Amino acid sequence: MSIIEHVVLFKVKEDVAPSEADTMVERINSLASLEQLLHLTVGPLFRIRTSPPSLKFTHFFHTRFNSMDDLRSYVAHPAHVAVVKANTPLVDDAMALDWLAEVPGGTVPPPGSALRVTFFKLKEGVEDRVKDEIVGAMRGFQREFKQAIQLTCGGNFSPARAKGFSIASLEVFPGLSELEAAKELGDYHKNEKIKEHLESVMVLDYVVPSSSKAHSAS
């Protein structure tokens, strides 16, 4: 089925107490009841790697939507607006990417599953045709990966908060051990067809909490 992937990264301020960070996460989790969402998970990142290492984030937020209309409705929803207003004083930096994806099977990554998300920033002046070729090459690579239970990738369509990153991929694994064993995933940037066009890469690893508020709209 076709869905919209929506990923937000936060960098919590250094002077924020752990209890305040937990409250921030709970506020976001409260949005899971909104009918527009197919799925919601949020929490601290397990690991972040960037090249060059200029961006550092602490928390990961992933949701899925059936359509662009649902995403727009969610963004404008009073509950979402209130959560953003309450959490903003705790956040030092944030970025977000959205892309259209095809997801076979269920739309909810299971509690305890592990996600690897890779963001790509291309060199200035790269044509849309080349971006499409890169996404196509990534999809071809993904078909060879057997460890993941879900694989998506696509071009970002919300550039305002993406800090110049324009392509994203997301892989869902049964657990952290399977993610750690899949070292080749996230290494698209080493491929000759892709790396010549890349300016920087960000690789994020995240484990869905066992008490995740993820849900299905079925």
Side-chain angles (χ1 to χ4, degrees), residues 106-153:
T107 58
V108 179
S113 59
L115 278 59
R116 174 160 291 167
V117 180
T118 309
F119 292 155
F120 304 88
K121 181 186 290 187
L122 303 183
K123 294 177 180 177
E124 187 174 353
V126 172
E127 299 177 355
D128 289 341
R129 172 187 57 81
V130 176
K131 293 180 183 179
D132 292 340
E133 290 175 355
I134 291 174
V135 172
M138 290 166 58
R139 287 173 177 156
F141 301 151
Q142 286 184 339
R143 284 192 288 269
E144 300 176 11
F145 299 149
K146 307 302 182 184
Q147 304 96 326
I149 56 178
Q150 284 187 2
L151 303 159
T152 80
C153 62

